Amino acid sequence: MTTYEFYINKDFDFCCTRSDNPNFVSKNIAAIQKLEYLTQPTIGKARITNRNMIIETPRGSLTLINYREMQDAKVDPYLEKLIFKIKQELPKAQKKKHGKKPVRNKKIAGVAVVGTLALVALVNTIREKEKLQATSIIEDLENDFTQNTNALLMNGLRQGYSYSYKDNTVKVEPDTNMTQMENNLVEISNQDANLSDDTAVAYLDFEDERYSITGEYAYDLYYDSVKPYAEKWGLPSNLMTGILTQETAGNYANLMQVEFNVWKDQILTVYNFNEEKYEKVVLTENPQNYDSDIICITRQDLENPKTNISVGCILFRQSLSYMNYHIGAGIQCYNYGYGNMQQVLDYTAKMTGISKQEILADQTNLDFMNYTNIVNDQGDSNYLMHVLRYVENIEDGIDIQYINRDGEIDNLHVTILPNSKKM
Amino acid sequence: MVKCMLTITIDQKQYEYIDSILYEGKTYVALSDSDDITICEYTIKQDQVILHAIDDTLFSSVKEAMHLS
């Protein structure tokens, strides 16, 4: 099973690396979305050590390194809520484990010696009751485990040891996380090289068909409907109309070919650029299972063209985040999906000698389009070109808004032209 | 070094933490031993977790609130 590590780097970016490709680092929104994806729809086991939170889900095993730092640093409001939610999963797992036992009033009383994880849970409940008064108690208890853990554990913490938690036990081991994190930082700084380059131009084998019968039909019917939703989600209207044209050209009710079953019950966090806030959206047949702050969209809702377009935009942003905001790869990913694109990128890296991280850091590197055919019968291997042919004013390039590390709205840009436009 | 993190020990008997809630202004914890589950009120004073016995009526209410029925 793939393991993922989440941590905050020295620039206070929230980062994610995966065991099968430690050189590829997702950051900030992409990392949060990765965390969200991995923790949906269920969390199998959640375990908390002094520094780390270890979570096993059907989609992988993940470790939040120094999770308290993530909460204290207030990296992202949603991240805080997500960690809180994960902590809430502990009682569910415990109830499931002990669910068949009878419940009896044994009238227990006295002073208890409490394990660390139980203590954190008890203190969290106290915190609900007396937030202000409990602050000092929480700090004392969480920083000083002398009542519950022995001096060796404390010494280990001070001397750079870490704790792993398995089968209800804690093991004290030398801390290797910091070394690994330092190595990751080198990769991150390299990755930062090119996120937004106004001069980025690439060429592919396609011809402009914006003014073909199909293009005219789709633009006439849907461009005005696409525009407000594309702007809302920080995307160019011409690109999203190009995707709609390629998907259905307006000939089917499911305009953006949203695969409800693929995305069902995954909570997606997406930035609303109109209202300048994050929104949570889920495709579900059971809206009653979700909090009121989550926008629930049912299969029936997708029959509304505007809703369908809006969801298509949200899913495209998800594809972009999977591809580390590489615009070309994000477009292909909308059709191919995350798993297939990973295969294509792995193969491309092998064939070109350029790492996946480097490919995705360069908006003009479209080498992966030479290898999309390694995935058989899984989609349209030329989807990127098929979309680009319908993008109006393609020579002006594609601009996509995103939230940068300072929390400000920034711009990604690439121009992808037909080969025929090469000088 | 090995130590159990979910264990709550009282009078040399070990229980496993299940859940804790705030209910009508007081905090309660559900514990399990090898045979059954029980609930008691708890407070934290001077860095000590103190468990308090509760009467059967309150026990039923808290049990329901914890969805342990």
Side-chain angles (χ1 to χ4, degrees):
Chain A
M1 180 181 281
T2 306
T3 61
Y4 300 81
E5 288 187 347
F6 293 85
Y7 56 90
I8 296 174
N9 70 10
K10 65 181 179 182
D11 293 324
F12 297 101
D13 291 318
F14 180 57
C15 302
C16 170
T17 57
R18 47 189 291 167
S19 59
D20 57 353
N21 186 4
N23 291 331
F24 183 75
V25 182
S26 303
K27 291 194 294 185
N28 298 323
I29 297 172
I32 290 167
Q33 289 178 333
K34 174 65 73 181
L35 177 62
E36 184 185 3
Y37 171 78
L38 291 168
T39 52
Q40 295 292 332
T42 60
I43 296 165
K45 296 175 184 173
R47 299 161 179 168
I48 305 169
T49 69
N50 289 343
R51 300 176 65 230
N52 306 337
M53 183 179 286
I54 303 155
I55 304 150
E56 290 173 15
T57 81
R59 291 174 172 168
S61 171
L62 42 149
T63 302
L64 305 184
I65 297 170
N66 274 340
Y67 75 93
R68 286 200 188 102
E69 183 185 272
M70 293 176 189
Q71 289 178 297
D72 294 343
K74 299 193 182 303
V75 176
D76 181 272
Y78 180 72
L79 177 63
E80 284 183 67
K81 284 184 185 176
L82 187 61
I83 292 174
F84 180 77
K85 183 186 164 191
I86 290 165
K87 289 167 86 167
Q88 299 302 304
E89 294 291 327
L90 173 65
K92 291 182 190 171
Q94 287 292 90
K95 282 177 186 172
K96 193 174 177 184
K97 180 179 173 185
H98 298 280
K100 292 180 181 174
K101 293 176 183 173
V103 187
R104 296 198 178 102
N105 188 359
K106 299 173 98 169
K107 300 191 177 175
I108 297 169
V111 178
V113 177
V114 183
T116 311
L117 183 53
L119 181 65
V120 170
L122 291 175
V123 170
N124 278 338
T125 305
I126 288 275
R127 182 181 271 170
E128 288 176 39
K129 180 184 172 187
E130 299 171 2
K131 278 186 180 172
L132 291 175
Q133 293 93 326
T135 301
S136 61
I137 298 171
I138 292 160
E139 286 173 353
D140 288 347
L141 289 172
E142 291 187 351
N143 293 330
D144 183 357
F145 292 97
T146 49
Q147 179 194 350
N148 311 289
T149 57
N150 63 23
L152 184 58
L153 277 172
M154 284 302 292
N155 287 337
L157 180 64
R158 290 176 184 134
Q159 291 167 11
Y161 285 75
S162 68
Y163 308 99
S164 60
Y165 183 61
K166 190 176 181 183
D167 300 330
N168 284 348
T169 61
V170 188
K171 290 182 182 173
V172 182
E173 297 167 332
D175 188 352
T176 56
N177 284 331
M178 286 310 294
T179 308
Q180 189 171 348
M181 284 171 71
E182 285 162 6
N183 290 339
N184 289 339
L185 291 177
V186 176
E187 301 296 337
I188 293 162
S189 60
N190 289 340
Q191 188 193 344
D192 281 345
N194 177 22
L195 268 178
S196 183
D197 179 357
D198 288 344
T199 64
V201 181
Y203 295 90
L204 278 176
D205 186 16
F206 70 97
E207 293 299 331
D208 186 352
E209 296 182 31
R210 156 65 184 90
Y211 294 98
S212 64
I213 294 172
T214 303
E216 285 285 78
Y217 177 77
Y219 269 77
D220 284 351
L221 276 179
Y222 290 107
Y223 181 81
D224 289 343
S225 299
V226 168
K227 195 168 185 290
Y229 296 102
E231 288 174 355
K232 179 178 181 179
W233 305 119
L235 299 166
S237 310
N238 58 346
L239 173 62
M240 296 317 298
T241 310
I243 289 177
L244 183 151
T245 309
Q246 173 56 26
E247 289 292 344
T248 61
N251 289 321
Y252 297 93
N254 189 356
L255 291 168
M256 302 296 282
Q257 292 292 287
V258 174
E259 294 188 79
F260 187 90
N261 289 336
V262 171
W263 295 97
K264 188 170 70 174
D265 292 317
Q266 294 181 39
I267 298 174
L268 306 172
T269 304
V270 61
Y271 193 80
N272 181 334
F273 286 83
N274 287 348
E275 298 183 17
E276 298 189 354
K277 67 174 187 181
Y278 285 98
E279 305 234 36
K280 285 186 279 183
V281 178
V282 64
L283 304 187
T284 183
E285 288 169 328
N286 301 294
Q288 71 278 8
N289 292 346
Y290 293 91
D291 295 339
S292 57
D293 63 330
I294 299 175
I295 300 166
C296 294
I297 293 163
T298 64
R299 198 185 293 272
Q300 193 176 1
D301 291 337
L302 288 175
E303 292 173 11
N304 179 322
K306 291 182 177 177
T307 305
N308 195 290
I309 290 166
S310 184
V311 171
C313 292
I314 291 167
L315 298 183
F316 175 61
R317 281 212 79 95
Q318 190 74 12
S319 299
L320 274 174
S321 75
Y322 285 159
M323 295 295 108
N324 209 26
Y325 290 89
H326 186 290
I327 295 170
I331 296 169
Q332 184 66 34
C333 184
Y334 185 81
N335 176 269
Y336 251 28
Y338 175 77
N340 290 333
M341 278 306 289
Q342 290 301 319
Q343 282 186 51
V344 169
L345 290 167
D346 282 337
Y347 191 77
T348 307
K350 186 178 171 185
M351 298 304 289
T352 62
I354 301 171
S355 71
K356 274 201 296 192
Q357 181 197 359
E358 288 172 299
I359 294 169
L360 294 177
D362 178 359
Q363 294 286 356
T364 62
N365 188 334
L366 302 173
D367 289 347
F368 55 86
M369 290 307 296
N370 295 325
Y371 306 107
T372 48
N373 55 6
I374 67 160
V375 180
N376 292 325
D377 302 325
Q378 295 287 317
D380 179 355
S381 61
N382 291 317
Y383 184 77
L384 173 57
M385 286 83 95
H386 289 159
V387 168
L388 293 175
R389 64 182 169 169
Y390 292 123
V391 176
E392 191 169 64
N393 297 328
I394 187 74
E395 64 279 2
D396 292 340
I398 300 168
D399 290 276
I400 287 174
Q401 291 179 295
Y402 75 107
I403 305 299
N404 68 20
R405 66 173 58 197
D406 298 322
E408 297 164 344
I409 296 173
D410 213 331
N411 204 49
L412 295 168
H413 176 90
V414 69
T415 303
I416 306 174
L417 298 175
N419 279 334
S420 58
K421 299 281 184 186
K422 273 185 185 173
M423 296 296 285
Chain B
M1 175 60 204
V2 172
K3 190 167 183 72
C4 188
M5 297 186 78
L6 277 168
T7 301
I8 294 178
T9 307
I10 185 162
D11 294 336
Q12 298 183 323
K13 183 165 172 53
Q14 285 194 347
Y15 299 86
E16 191 168 328
Y17 171 90
I18 294 179
D19 194 7
S20 53
I21 64 162
L22 176 63
Y23 179 76
E24 293 187 348
K26 293 184 177 179
T27 46
Y28 299 88
V29 58
L31 307 166
S32 172
D33 60 16
S34 55
D35 301 319
D36 42 29
I37 294 170
T38 193
I39 299 166
C40 47
E41 186 188 341
Y42 76 94
T43 52
I44 298 179
K45 285 182 183 169
Q46 296 176 334
D47 293 359
Q48 289 190 321
V49 177
I50 303 164
L51 305 184
H52 310 273
I54 58 176
D55 64 47
D56 290 341
T57 308
L58 182 58
F59 178 84
S60 298
S61 302
V62 178
K63 183 174 79 168
E64 197 170 318
M66 281 185 159
H67 304 289
L68 287 169
S69 304

